[in-house]
């Protein structure tokens, strides 16, 4: 199994809603990542988890709250988002130790904030 | 200045042509990745390079660490190769996996 599975594929939410994005992998990878990609732009790193611990937070607003309950699962909790947060949210995983290891990406969740 | 520069930004070619996409970077890296993104969003890893050359089917990737440059080649291009090709680098870090820094991508269209 070399898949990273993201759910849901599409999400429309209001600015007062609370929702969560989910990412799952069963490759035994111990590093998991959230990226945000705006239209026609490259992905930008949001969060990195290494061994279920948050190791990098790229100064992301607190309305985005990551969670890594176990080594296979990564969540992104969303609350009080703004329309400019509409984007494709991509999850990825890789082996932690072993610099220069292949990255596996999910299909992304396309989020629209109305 | 972007740490990862790709060229060209857009490329339209005829089926069968040999395609070259270039990537230059300005920082020390532990690895360079070539990725493919189709409309709809999902990203597929094509290659991960830290030196030399790799080949997979009609795709070839090379890297010159001294010159901080990599190329992705597609031989006998086909309309199904139409996608955005992204170069991304992992920078040196003492803490292990630190995520990727992406180039802006090359939008490739192969016409029948």
């Amino acid at each position: 199994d070399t898949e990273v599975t993201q759910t849901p594929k599409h999400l429309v939410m209001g600015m007062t809603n609370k929702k969560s994005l989910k990412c799952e992998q069963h490759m035994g990878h111990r590093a998991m990542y959230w990226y945000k990609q705006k239209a026609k732009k490259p992905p930008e790193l949001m969060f990195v988890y290494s061994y279920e611990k948050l190791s990098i937070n790229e100064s992301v607003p607190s309305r985005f709250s990551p969670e890594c309950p176990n080594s296979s699962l990564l969540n992104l909790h969303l609350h009080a988002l703004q329309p400019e947060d509409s984007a494709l949210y991509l999850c990825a995983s890789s082996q932690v130790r072993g610099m220069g290891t292949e990255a596996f990406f999910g299909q992304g969740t396309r989020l629209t904030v109305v | 200045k972007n740490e990862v520069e790709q060229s060209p930004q857009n490329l339209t070619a005829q089926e069968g042509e040999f395609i070259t996409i270039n990537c230059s970077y300005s920082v020390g890296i532990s690895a360079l990745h070539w990725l493919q993104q189709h409309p709809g969003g999902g990203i597929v890893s094509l290659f991960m390079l830290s030196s030399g050359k790799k080949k997979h089917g009609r795709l070839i990737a090379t890297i010159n660490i001294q010159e901080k440059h990599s190329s992705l080649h597609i031989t006998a291009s086909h309309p199904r190769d139409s996608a955005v090709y992204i170069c991304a680098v992992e920078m040196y870090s003492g803490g292990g996996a630190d995520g990727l820094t992406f180039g802006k991508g090359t939008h490739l269209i192969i016409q029948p």
Side-chain angles (χ1 to χ4, degrees):
Chain A
D1 183 2
T2 57
E3 275 194 0
V4 175
T5 303
Q6 286 188 246
T7 54
K9 287 189 170 40
H10 301 273
L11 178 62
V12 179
M13 61 185 290
M15 289 189 282
T16 58
N17 291 159
K18 284 185 183 181
K19 297 285 185 185
S20 296
L21 310 185
K22 180 179 170 182
C23 174
E24 200 162 2
Q25 56 87 16
H26 297 286
M27 294 177 279
H29 290 170
R30 303 311 294 271
M32 296 184 77
Y33 311 80
W34 281 115
Y35 292 92
K36 174 182 177 180
Q37 187 177 25
K38 300 284 279 184
K40 299 191 186 302
K41 298 285 188 185
E44 294 177 346
L45 182 65
M46 298 176 73
F47 300 105
V48 180
Y49 272 84
S50 178
Y51 288 93
E52 296 92 69
K53 286 188 170 49
L54 183 63
S55 62
I56 295 179
N57 175 340
E58 295 285 318
S59 302
V60 177
S62 60
R63 57 186 184 267
F64 296 92
S65 175
E67 179 196 20
C68 191
N70 59 59
S71 60
S72 299
L73 189 56
L74 184 67
N75 298 319
L76 185 63
H77 303 297
L78 314 172
H79 173 55
L81 294 194
Q82 304 296 311
E84 60 264 28
D85 297 320
S86 299
L88 181 70
Y89 288 84
L90 290 158
C91 174
S93 73
S94 67
Q95 294 176 11
V96 174
R97 296 297 173 187
M99 305 241 289
T101 59
E102 188 175 359
F104 292 80
F105 285 82
Q107 290 294 307
T109 294
R110 192 162 297 279
L111 174 68
T112 303
V113 181
V114 297
Chain B
K1 183 180 182 296
N2 199 20
E3 290 161 325
V4 182
E5 297 280 355
Q6 274 186 248
S7 63
Q9 282 190 294
N10 297 283
L11 178 57
T12 300
Q14 295 298 120
E15 183 173 356
E17 286 189 40
F18 181 81
I19 303 298
T20 296
I21 300 170
N22 294 300
C23 176
S24 296
Y25 53 93
S26 57
V27 295
I29 67 169
S30 57
L32 181 143
H33 298 249
W34 281 103
L35 309 166
Q36 182 192 56
Q37 188 170 32
H38 281 281
I43 290 178
V44 175
S45 175
L46 299 175
F47 296 102
M48 191 276 297
L49 294 160
S50 52
S51 65
K53 177 179 175 178
K54 287 188 176 180
K55 184 175 189 292
H56 185 236
R58 295 181 294 106
L59 301 179
I60 303 165
T62 63
I63 188 168
N64 185 318
I65 297 292
Q66 286 73 32
E67 295 186 3
K68 293 186 167 60
H69 181 267
S70 176
S71 294
L72 176 69
H73 305 286
I74 304 175
T75 61
S77 59
H78 189 275
R80 65 175 174 265
D81 298 325
S82 299
V84 177
Y85 292 84
I86 305 172
C87 172
V89 299
E90 285 182 67
M91 292 189 246
Y92 283 125
S93 166
D98 275 356
L100 298 174
T101 299
F102 294 80
K104 291 185 178 180
T106 295
H107 187 193
L108 175 66
I109 297 173
I110 304 297
Q111 294 178 334

